[in-house]
Amino acid sequence: MVDIAARVWNHRWKIDPIVRSLIDTDFYKLLMCQSVFRRSPRTQVTFSLINRSTHIPLATLVDEGELREQLDHVRSLSLTRGESTWMRGNTFYGKRQMFTPAFMDWFENLRLPPYHLERVGDQYELTFEGPWPEVMLWEIPALAILMELRSRAVLETMGKFELQVLYARAMTKLWEKIERLRALDDLRIADFGTRRRHSFLWQDWCVQAMQEGLGQAFTGTSNCLIAKNRDLEAIGTNAHELPMVYAALAEGDTALARAPYDVLSDWHEEHDGNLRIILPDTYGTEGFLQNAPDWLAGWTGIRIDSGDPATGAETAIRWWQSRGEDPREKLIIFSDGLDEAKIAELHRQFAGRTRVSFGWGTLLTNDFRGLTSGDALAPFSLVCKAVAAEGRPTVKLSDNPRKAMGPEAEVERYKRVFGVGEQAEMEVVV
Amino acid sequence: MVDIAARVWNHRWKIDPIVRSLIDTDFYKLLMCQSVFRRSPRTQVTFSLINRSTHIPLATLVDEGELREQLDHVRSLSLTRGESTWMRGNTFYGKRQMFTPAFMDWFENLRLPPYHLERVGDQYELTFEGPWPEVMLWEIPALAILMELRSRAVLETMGKFELQVLYARAMTKLWEKIERLRALDDLRIADFGTRRRHSFLWQDWCVQAMQEGLGQAFTGTSNCLIAKNRDLEAIGTNAHELPMVYAALAEGDTALARAPYDVLSDWHEEHDGNLRIILPDTYGTEGFLQNAPDWLAGWTGIRIDSGDPATGAETAIRWWQSRGEDPREKLIIFSDGLDEAKIAELHRQFAGRTRVSFGWGTLLTNDFRGLTSGDALAPFSLVCKAVAAEGRPTVKLSDNPRKAMGPEAEVERYKRVFGVGEQAEMEVVV
C-alpha cells in the first residue's frame, strides 16, 4: 500500500530541511547557553565558519541558494511544546530542572538571529553576529547544514541501488566497529557526532545501532533531539567558546591569565558531579593545570580534546596525584579525532588507572571514507567558532598548533601569557 | 506518518506467505508444463524433496506447523487475471502467444494438488503425487518455502540492527560482485536463483540491483512474477525432468536409449530459436552428444549444468565442429554452481569462441555465506525431483556422480545403456 497522504504531504515541502528543530544541537550548547544567558546576555560576539580542509571547495560543491534556504529554515524554527516539556521536565545528569524557568521562557521565544553569507572564491564566508546566547546557537546547525548539503550534492549523482549499497557499506563498516568495541570490558562511550555528521538520518541510525550493539556501554548522545526521540541520556558539559570569549574580554595580561579559571569558577557555582569536567587545552594543558587553583583538582574529570590523547591523559593523572587526588576516582573523557582502534588502545592503556569515557564524533557519524569513487564523501574538518567578542578577536591555542586560531600578534601574546612553548604538530583528522 | 491501514491490514495475515503467486516460479516450468499438458496430461508422477546437505537438520530448524501453513497457502492460490493477461499477452523469447489458449484455460483453473509431509528424524519427507502437469508445479514453491523458512528461523534470533547490518553486508557483497562483473565485455547473464533463494524479497532486490548495476548485460530472470513486476525478460527452456520421466516410461533398453532424443524431438516441434537449447547431461554429456541425431547439432545452443563447466563447453564445441557447425554461432549457457569469479573465468575462456550466457543461481540470490555466526544462513543443496513415473523409479546420472539419483540397479542399467564410464566427482556447492 502506498501512503498517498504521506507522499502528497512530502511533495509540499519546498525543501527537505536538514535541521528541523532547535534542539537538534549538542547538549553542551544548551548548558552553556543558559550560563551565558545568565551572566553575559548582552555580550556581542561573532561566530564564523572555518573550513580547515581547504582542498574541499565548498562553494563549488554546495549551491548558495540551497544553503540560504536551509539557513532560512533554521531561522523559522522555534521550540515546540514537546521540546520545551522535555527540557523542563527531563532529568539531565541525574538532576531535575537543569534549565531554569527564566532560561526556558527566553528560549521558548527565541528565533535565531540573521546570518551573513558571501561566496569568496571556492569557499563560503558565513558569519553570525549578535548577542552571545543567540549567536552561539548557530554553531551546530550551521555545521550540520553544510556537511549534509555536501553529502547531498554527492548523493545526487548516484543510482538508486548504488545508494542502497553505499548505506549498506556504511552500516557494515560501523557495525564492524561496534562489534570490536563490544569486546572491551566496562566501555563507556557516547555519540558526539552531531556537528560533522553525514546527515541527520544517518546520525539517528548510528545512535540506534550503538544502542542495540553496545547496550549499557553506550551512555547517550550529545544530540538533544535524538536523546529525546530515542529516550537516551543527553551528554555534554562545556566547550572552548567560554574561555575564548572570557579571554577576549579580559582587560590586560593578568585578567587574561585568570580568564580560563573564571570560566570554571562560574561553572562551579552552577554545576556539580559529572558536569564538573575540565576542558584544559584552550591555551595549553600543561600550563593550565600547573597554575590551576586547588579547588579545580576536586572536579570530577577532564576532557582531552587536542594533542596526543595518551600524553594528555598522563599529564592529567600526574596533576591529580600532585594535588593529592586519587586518579582512579577521576574521569577522563577523550573526544578528539577518535576511531574505534584508538578508542580500544586508550581504553587498554587507561582503564583501571582512571575512569575512562569516550565522546565519539565524526568517525562515528560520518565515516564514509573509501565508500565512493574519489572518496567524495570523506568527512572534512569544518568548524564554526567565536572569532570576536565586543569587537576584540578571540584566540585559541589548543595542544595542537594546527588547531590554533586568532590574529598572529594576539596568538603570540597568549602564548607568552599562558607560557606555551614548543608544541607537537598533529594531523587534524576530522 | 504511519500508514495505519497498511499496518492493520498486515495484522490480519495469519501467516506471512512466502509464495504469493502461482507464477512465482521458473519460466521453464511453465514452458515444460505446457508441453507435458499437451503430450502427457495423465501421466502419474511423484516428486520428492531431497536435502543433499544432510548436515542441515531441516526438521529441527523449520517448524512443521509453519511449513504446513506455507504449503497450504500455495494450494489456495490460483492464477490472477493480471497474471493470466501477462502470460497470454506478453512476448516471450520474441514470440507472441507462447502459451496456447487451451493451456491457459487449464492453468487459470488450476489449484496445486495435495502434498504428503512426514518428519523422519531431522529431515522432512515431502512428496507430491498426481498428474504430471500439476505435480511438476510444486517443485519451485516447495524449494522456495523450505529455503525461506530456514532463513526466517535464523533471522528470528537476531536484533533489529543486527538484521539491518546482515542485509547491508549481503547487499555490499552482491554489489561488489556486480562491480567486478561490470568489467566483462559483452557479458550476458540472467537470474536463475528462484529455487534456492534466501527469500522472495531478497531475490527481488538482487534482480533490481543486477538491472541497475549491469544494464544490458543483465538479460532477465527465470522468475515469472519478478519478470512481470519488473518488466524484464522471463528466461529458461527445459530441465532434467523431461528426459527422466520419458526414460522411466520407456519399455526396454532400446526405447530407454532413445528417450532423451524423443524429448528434444518433441521440443523441436514446439519451439525454435533461443528456446532450442540442449540439456545433455541427464545421462552423461559425452555419450549423449556422440549418439545424437544430426538435426540436434542444428539447435541454437547447449546448457552446461553439471561436471566441470569448461570441460563440458569444450566437449560441446568439439561436437559442433565434428558435425560441421560453427561454434561461434552457437550459444553455451552455464548454469551450475556459478559465482562471479567462475563466471569471469568462463567468460574469458569462451567469449569469442562461442556465444556465452550465464544462468546465475544460488550464489546470486542466497550468498549469505560468512555473514552470520556459525554460518547459519549459508545456502545448502536442496532439490525437488521427479522420483517416479507411473510407479517406475526415475534415474539421473548427470556429469557429476554426486548429483546422481535413483535405485542402484537402475543406475547401473542406465550407465550400461548410455555407455557412461568413470566420472569425476565434484563437490556440489549449492
Side-chain angles (χ1 to χ4, degrees):
Chain A
M1 261 187 254
V2 177
D3 184 342
I4 303 175
R7 285 188 66 161
V8 170
W9 173 256
N10 288 338
H11 284 152
R12 281 203 212 156
W13 290 89
K14 262 178 32 200
I15 58 166
D16 182 359
I18 290 169
V19 173
R20 297 178 182 220
S21 158
L22 281 188
I23 67 165
D24 180 9
T25 192
D26 280 339
F27 179 67
Y28 76 176
K29 270 284 164 183
L30 299 184
L31 271 192
M32 289 189 293
C33 184
Q34 169 166 262
S35 189
V36 169
F37 167 77
R38 180 184 343 206
R39 296 175 189 275
S40 323
R42 273 171 298 276
T43 300
Q44 296 292 302
V45 299
T46 307
F47 270 64
S48 181
L49 191 84
I50 299 149
N51 181 7
R52 290 176 187 153
S53 305
T54 45
H55 65 283
I56 305 281
L58 268 183
T60 308
L61 293 168
V62 171
D63 179 73
E64 185 176 331
E66 284 180 41
L67 175 53
R68 285 186 186 277
E69 283 175 336
Q70 292 292 343
L71 295 167
D72 290 341
H73 184 77
V74 173
R75 292 202 63 211
S76 78
L77 296 173
S78 65
L79 205 64
T80 69
R81 180 191 284 227
E83 289 160 358
S84 176
T85 301
W86 180 77
M87 286 181 69
R88 286 175 182 268
N90 193 40
T91 305
F92 300 99
Y93 281 78
K95 182 176 161 186
R96 291 211 176 276
Q97 287 197 291
M98 177 69 82
F99 297 101
T100 64
F103 174 70
M104 289 308 302
D105 288 346
W106 169 83
F107 194 31
E108 279 163 4
N109 289 295
L110 178 75
R111 297 288 189 287
L112 290 201
Y115 59 88
H116 311 277
L117 176 65
E118 207 177 318
R119 182 180 172 151
V120 178
D122 283 341
Q123 301 294 338
Y124 286 118
E125 271 188 19
L126 177 59
T127 55
F128 309 93
E129 285 182 54
W132 190 6
E134 298 179 16
V135 165
M136 66 188 294
L137 294 177
W138 261 117
E139 176 181 348
I140 309 297
L143 291 172
I145 284 171
L146 273 153
M147 295 305 290
E148 186 162 344
L149 280 179
R150 186 271 206 148
S151 300
R152 289 185 184 183
V154 176
L155 298 172
E156 228 161 57
T157 64
M158 298 173 72
K160 185 173 167 193
F161 281 74
E162 214 183 344
L163 280 172
Q164 260 209 301
V165 171
L166 172 73
Y167 286 103
R169 283 178 171 153
M171 287 174 181
T172 302
K173 194 174 185 184
L174 176 57
W175 195 257
E176 280 165 5
K177 292 183 188 183
I178 289 174
E179 284 182 331
R180 287 190 292 267
L181 290 176
R182 204 187 278 158
L184 305 181
D185 287 335
D186 302 320
L187 177 70
R188 292 179 63 77
I189 189 164
D191 157 39
F192 275 23
T194 299
R195 67 189 57 214
R196 283 196 282 276
R197 66 192 182 199
H198 167 80
S199 73
F200 173 75
L201 290 176
W202 177 244
Q203 182 184 16
D204 195 34
W205 192 92
C206 294
V207 166
Q208 292 175 79
M210 294 273 281
Q211 213 179 344
E212 179 178 306
L214 293 179
Q216 294 300 314
F218 180 58
T219 55
T221 170
S222 65
N223 187 296
C224 296
L225 182 61
I226 296 177
K228 170 177 165 292
N229 291 346
R230 304 290 168 201
D231 215 356
L232 289 163
E233 290 293 326
I235 306 277
T237 56
N238 57 57
H240 300 105
E241 68 174 283
L242 296 178
M244 284 168 72
V245 172
Y246 273 52
L249 297 177
E251 302 286 353
D253 290 354
T254 313
L256 174 59
R258 210 183 51 231
Y261 306 110
D262 291 345
V263 168
L264 300 187
S265 168
D266 288 352
W267 198 261
H268 193 91
E269 278 177 28
E270 291 169 2
H271 301 292
D272 48 27
N274 284 339
L275 284 173
R276 287 187 176 167
I277 301 295
I278 305 166
L279 180 64
D281 68 327
T282 316
Y283 303 117
T285 296
E286 283 282 357
F288 176 89
L289 293 179
Q290 266 168 34
N291 301 320
D294 273 336
W295 56 264
L296 252 189
W299 273 32
T300 303
I302 200 163
R303 181 156 73 92
I304 312 285
D305 200 45
S306 63
D308 175 60
T311 306
E314 295 292 0
T315 302
I317 288 172
R318 276 196 310 274
W319 175 66
W320 279 317
Q321 286 166 334
S322 74
R323 301 289 177 110
E325 300 283 336
D326 183 353
R328 285 172 304 179
E329 288 170 9
K330 297 296 184 179
L331 176 64
I332 295 185
I333 301 173
F334 295 102
S335 64
D336 181 36
L338 293 175
D339 203 1
E340 137 274 337
K342 178 57 85 179
I343 291 167
E345 183 191 321
L346 292 167
H347 183 76
R348 263 193 309 276
Q349 203 169 345
F350 293 100
R353 297 176 57 200
T354 177
R355 289 158 54 211
V356 177
S357 178
F358 298 92
W360 195 6
T362 311
L363 295 180
L364 166 60
T365 60
N366 200 354
D367 191 1
F368 282 65
R369 294 175 301 179
L371 300 188
T372 54
S373 64
D375 225 359
L377 284 175
F380 59 103
S381 190
L382 193 68
V383 295
C384 182
K385 292 283 180 192
V387 292
E390 300 293 359
R392 304 174 183 202
T394 66
V395 169
K396 185 186 175 191
L397 300 179
S398 104
D399 289 329
N400 180 1
R402 294 215 194 155
K403 281 188 164 183
M405 47 172 284
E408 208 174 322
E410 284 296 288
V411 167
E412 288 312 311
R413 176 178 161 239
Y414 276 61
K415 279 189 168 178
R416 176 174 50 74
V417 169
F418 290 102
V420 173
E422 279 299 298
Q423 290 178 306
E425 286 211 8
M426 292 188 62
E427 195 193 347
V428 177
V429 184
V430 277
Chain B
M1 263 188 253
V2 176
D3 183 342
I4 303 174
R7 285 187 66 160
V8 170
W9 173 256
N10 288 338
H11 285 154
R12 281 202 211 158
W13 290 90
K14 262 178 31 201
I15 57 166
D16 182 358
I18 290 170
V19 173
R20 297 178 182 220
S21 158
L22 282 188
I23 67 165
D24 180 9
T25 192
D26 280 340
F27 178 68
Y28 77 176
K29 270 285 166 182
L30 300 184
L31 270 191
M32 288 190 293
C33 184
Q34 168 166 261
S35 188
V36 168
F37 167 76
R38 181 188 338 209
R39 295 176 188 275
S40 323
R42 274 170 299 275
T43 299
Q44 296 293 304
V45 299
T46 307
F47 269 64
S48 180
L49 192 85
I50 300 150
N51 180 7
R52 289 177 187 153
S53 305
T54 45
H55 64 283
I56 306 281
L58 268 183
T60 309
L61 293 168
V62 169
D63 179 73
E64 186 176 330
E66 283 180 41
L67 175 53
R68 285 186 186 277
E69 283 176 335
Q70 292 291 345
L71 294 168
D72 290 342
H73 184 76
V74 173
R75 292 202 64 211
S76 78
L77 297 172
S78 63
L79 205 63
T80 68
R81 180 192 285 225
E83 289 161 357
S84 176
T85 301
W86 180 76
M87 286 181 70
R88 287 174 182 269
N90 193 39
T91 305
F92 300 99
Y93 282 78
K95 184 177 159 186
R96 293 214 174 274
Q97 287 200 291
M98 177 70 82
F99 298 102
T100 64
F103 174 71
M104 289 308 302
D105 287 347
W106 169 82
F107 194 30
E108 279 163 3
N109 289 295
L110 178 76
R111 297 286 189 288
L112 290 201
Y115 60 88
H116 311 278
L117 176 65
E118 207 178 318
R119 183 179 171 150
V120 179
D122 281 342
Q123 300 295 336
Y124 286 119
E125 271 188 16
L126 177 58
T127 54
F128 310 93
E129 284 182 55
W132 191 5
E134 298 178 16
V135 165
M136 67 189 292
L137 293 177
W138 262 117
E139 176 180 349
I140 309 298
L143 291 172
I145 283 171
L146 273 152
M147 295 305 291
E148 187 162 344
L149 281 179
R150 186 269 206 150
S151 300
R152 288 186 185 182
V154 176
L155 298 172
E156 227 160 59
T157 63
M158 298 172 71
K160 186 173 167 194
F161 281 75
E162 213 181 345
L163 280 173
Q164 260 209 300
V165 171
L166 172 72
Y167 285 103
R169 284 178 170 154
M171 287 174 182
T172 301
K173 194 173 187 185
L174 176 58
W175 194 256
E176 281 165 3
K177 292 183 188 183
I178 289 173
E179 284 181 331
R180 288 191 292 267
L181 290 176
R182 205 187 277 159
L184 306 181
D185 287 335
D186 302 320
L187 178 70
R188 293 177 63 77
I189 188 164
D191 157 39
F192 275 23
T194 299
R195 67 190 57 214
R196 282 197 283 275
R197 66 193 182 198
H198 167 80
S199 73
F200 173 75
L201 291 176
W202 177 245
Q203 182 185 15
D204 195 33
W205 192 92
C206 293
V207 166
Q208 292 174 78
M210 293 274 280
Q211 214 179 343
E212 179 177 307
L214 293 180
Q216 293 301 313
F218 180 58
T219 55
T221 170
S222 65
N223 187 295
C224 297
L225 182 62
I226 295 176
K228 170 178 164 291
N229 290 347
R230 305 291 169 201
D231 215 357
L232 289 164
E233 291 293 324
I235 306 277
T237 57
N238 57 58
H240 299 105
E241 67 174 285
L242 296 177
M244 285 168 73
V245 172
Y246 274 49
L249 298 177
E251 302 287 351
D253 291 356
T254 313
L256 173 58
R258 211 182 49 231
Y261 306 111
D262 291 346
V263 168
L264 300 187
S265 168
D266 288 352
W267 198 261
H268 193 88
E269 277 176 30
E270 292 169 1
H271 301 293
D272 47 27
N274 283 340
L275 284 173
R276 287 188 176 166
I277 301 294
I278 305 166
L279 179 64
D281 67 328
T282 316
Y283 303 118
T285 296
E286 283 282 356
F288 177 88
L289 293 179
Q290 265 168 35
N291 302 318
D294 274 336
W295 56 263
L296 253 188
W299 273 33
T300 303
I302 202 163
R303 181 156 73 92
I304 311 286
D305 200 46
S306 65
D308 176 59
T311 307
E314 295 291 0
T315 303
I317 288 171
R318 275 196 308 275
W319 175 66
W320 279 316
Q321 285 167 335
S322 74
R323 301 289 177 112
E325 299 282 337
D326 184 353
R328 286 172 303 179
E329 288 169 9
K330 297 296 184 178
L331 177 62
I332 295 184
I333 301 172
F334 295 102
S335 64
D336 182 36
L338 293 175
D339 204 0
E340 138 274 336
K342 178 56 89 178
I343 292 167
E345 183 190 322
L346 291 168
H347 183 77
R348 263 194 308 277
Q349 202 167 347
F350 293 101
R353 296 175 57 200
T354 179
R355 290 157 53 211
V356 178
S357 178
F358 297 93
W360 194 7
T362 312
L363 296 179
L364 166 60
T365 60
N366 199 354
D367 191 1
F368 282 65
R369 293 174 301 178
L371 300 188
T372 53
S373 64
D375 225 359
L377 284 175
F380 60 104
S381 189
L382 193 68
V383 294
C384 182
K385 291 283 181 191
V387 292
E390 301 293 358
R392 303 174 183 200
T394 65
V395 169
K396 186 185 175 191
L397 300 179
S398 104
D399 289 329
N400 180 0
R402 294 216 193 152
K403 281 187 164 181
M405 47 172 283
E408 207 174 321
E410 283 296 289
V411 167
E412 289 312 311
R413 176 178 160 241
Y414 275 61
K415 278 190 169 178
R416 177 173 50 74
V417 168
F418 290 102
V420 173
E422 280 297 302
Q423 291 177 307
E425 285 211 8
M426 292 188 64
E427 196 193 345
V428 178
V429 183
V430 278

